[in-house]
Amino acid sequence: MQIFLDTADIEAIAARAHSGLVDGVTTNPSLIAASGADIFERIGEICAAVDGPVSAEVVATDFDAMLAEGRKLAAIAPNVVVKLPLTTDGLKACHIFAGEVVQTNVTLCFSINQALLAAKAGASYISPFVGRVEDMGGDGLDLLMGIREVYDHFGYETELLAASLRSPAHVESAARVGCDVVTIPPKVFDQMICHPLTDSGLEAFLADWKKTGRKGLA
Ligand code: G3P
């Protein structure tokens, strides 16, 4: 399973990019706005910091303008993935980009039907929003399972990218469902590594070693 960071914070990305654990980055207009950076400059910086796919989202809502914005974003670097909203115009633009071999991430997906249509449009990635489904009292895990089932049933190659994940438990659920990718805030990435028993166990090991009076091994 691939792990993407869901952020436009270049320092947060750079601090984790060389761990071998970060496979890509996703952004959205809210994250770019929060960073205060120019979108073209920031996407360029992120693309230089990570080897993998970097999703950059259009802000246009009509087909022609989406194509123009998507092409401009795709020209920033070879690893840019054009992120498009799951609307009629977004799906039409996705279909055109698929023909041009431009990678796409269809976002704001909240139903199996939407995911099915994105796959038919040739999306490279589909982004169901787990946390926002749960915000509305829905079952985000069930949405992931349904999309996985339908994609596997028909052999669609669109990658299932679980988005709007807000906790390590969300990541574990997405992994168990067989999502191809999870995108997570840096904080959740850090939380995935930590366990209190790892910390207390390491502390005990080192305390026992210190009692022997021996030094480090290097
Ligand atoms: O990038 C899209 C998605 O991950 C947003 O998450 O927490 O704002 O619903 P959230």
Side-chain angles (χ1 to χ4, degrees):
M1 185 183 73
Q2 294 203 305
I3 298 177
F4 293 177
L5 292 178
D6 193 29
T7 182
D9 180 340
I10 189 65
E11 287 175 11
I13 293 165
R16 294 162 181 83
H18 302 295
S19 62
L21 304 172
V22 176
D23 301 297
V25 171
T26 54
T27 65
N28 62 39
S30 301
L31 293 170
I32 294 283
S35 76
D38 172 80
I39 181 168
F40 297 101
E41 281 177 23
R42 181 49 51 92
I43 295 297
E45 290 168 347
I46 297 172
C47 287
V50 296
D51 288 333
V54 175
S55 288
E57 188 163 345
V58 302
V59 293
T61 54
D62 73 278
F63 173 68
D64 289 326
M66 277 182 181
L67 285 184
E69 288 188 1
R71 289 187 178 125
K72 205 169 161 190
L73 291 168
I76 297 173
N79 51 333
V80 166
V81 175
V82 176
K83 207 170 176 191
L84 299 159
L86 210 155
T87 60
T88 301
D89 284 26
L91 291 176
K92 280 169 63 185
C94 177
H95 177 61
I96 297 294
F97 284 131
E100 296 176 358
V101 203
V102 171
Q103 295 272 299
T104 52
N105 176 356
V106 176
T107 188
L108 291 164
C109 172
F110 293 92
S111 74
I112 296 170
N113 279 335
Q114 288 182 318
L116 178 62
L117 294 173
K120 284 179 70 68
S124 312
Y125 299 93
I126 183 68
S127 289
F129 276 29
V130 173
R132 293 194 194 184
V133 167
E134 293 179 355
D135 290 344
M136 298 294 288
D139 188 338
L141 181 57
D142 190 60
L143 174 61
L144 295 180
M145 287 193 292
I147 297 171
R148 181 74 284 159
E149 182 186 346
V150 169
Y151 278 13
D152 289 348
H153 187 71
F154 293 106
Y156 287 124
E157 290 180 3
T158 300
E159 296 205 48
L160 176 50
L161 189 167
S164 186
L165 301 180
R166 301 179 185 156
S167 68
H170 270 160
V171 179
E172 290 183 355
S173 296
R176 293 180 77 171
V177 167
C179 291
D180 301 294
V181 190
V182 292
T183 189
I184 50 176
K187 181 182 161 197
V188 175
F189 177 85
D190 296 344
Q191 289 172 331
M192 284 176 69
I193 298 167
C194 298
H195 195 287
L197 291 178
T198 304
D199 295 340
S200 59
L202 179 60
E203 200 178 321
F205 286 158
L206 296 182
D208 289 342
W209 187 258
K210 197 173 176 189
K211 279 182 220 156
T212 68
R214 298 182 203 175
K215 297 199 168 120
L217 309 182

